[in-house]
Amino acid sequence: MTTRTLRTLASAIAAMGVLVGSAAALEVASSATVAGKPDAVWQKIGDFCAIQTWHPAVSKCAQSDEGGATYRTLTTTDGGTIKEKLVEQTGTSYTYDIINSPLPVENYRATISVSADGDGTRVDWKSSFDAKGKSDSEAKDVISGIYKAGLDKIAEMSGN
């Protein structure tokens, strides 16, 4: 191989490394143990639009079906809107994608679930996403704050 070919190959490998390195999604996971059995807690929070009853930043949720898929449009207390698509639902969890929002994230996918934890219920909320328009740290802080507010409200509703 010529020196030029080696340099070109080295540049291509380095560029691939940069692409692979930046492709790693950010992750946020939060949980809370709340009073009550999993079935009872899920009854309160498990409906896709129930978020309007347990998240203090959500004032309204409108559910719609488009092309066989279920969506919800959240209206926040400050007037913003977030459109999300239900990806999967079980008896104790659901997974959704953010389609459009003012949040500093893209390629966002999250799951909220419940499971037994002693005499109570563990509520888990986790996601993976890429930062959009903010640093990785700032995007993670925004999502962490959203999760904390929601989980705190679920705990309050459950009698914790």
Side-chain angles (χ1 to χ4, degrees):
M1 279 195 217
T2 67
T3 303
R4 182 179 172 149
T5 303
L6 287 173
R7 279 191 203 138
T8 303
L9 184 57
S11 293
I13 290 170
M16 286 176 25
V18 168
L19 291 175
V20 170
S22 65
L26 303 172
E27 294 184 356
V28 169
S30 296
S31 65
T33 299
V34 302
K37 298 292 181 198
D39 288 347
V41 173
W42 194 247
Q43 189 73 19
K44 292 177 184 177
I45 70 168
D47 181 79
F48 196 44
C49 251
I51 192 169
Q52 68 187 342
T53 65
W54 59 261
H55 202 290
V58 177
S59 63
K60 181 180 167 191
C61 179
Q63 189 166 308
S64 61
D65 291 320
E66 299 173 30
T70 301
Y71 293 85
R72 68 183 178 192
T73 300
L74 308 177
T75 302
T76 61
T77 54
D78 65 1
T81 59
I82 301 169
K83 185 172 183 179
E84 300 174 335
K85 178 182 178 183
L86 182 64
V87 175
E88 183 180 355
Q89 191 167 27
T90 72
T92 58
S93 72
Y94 65 77
T95 299
Y96 64 97
D97 293 341
I98 290 180
I99 304 303
N100 190 352
S101 87
L103 298 173
V105 298
E106 59 188 1
N107 304 316
Y108 176 99
R109 175 164 286 186
T111 299
I112 188 162
S113 63
V114 297
S115 58
D117 188 4
D119 290 336
T121 296
R122 180 180 165 120
V123 181
D124 289 295
W125 200 352
K126 62 184 179 179
S127 60
S128 65
F129 54 88
D130 297 315
K132 178 182 82 174
K134 298 277 185 185
S135 71
D136 289 357
S137 176
E138 289 171 312
K140 287 175 79 169
D141 286 348
V142 167
I143 299 303
S144 293
I146 290 169
Y147 290 3
K148 181 178 182 344
L151 292 171
D152 286 352
K153 182 66 174 181
I154 292 169
E156 179 185 309
M157 288 172 46
S158 300
N160 283 21

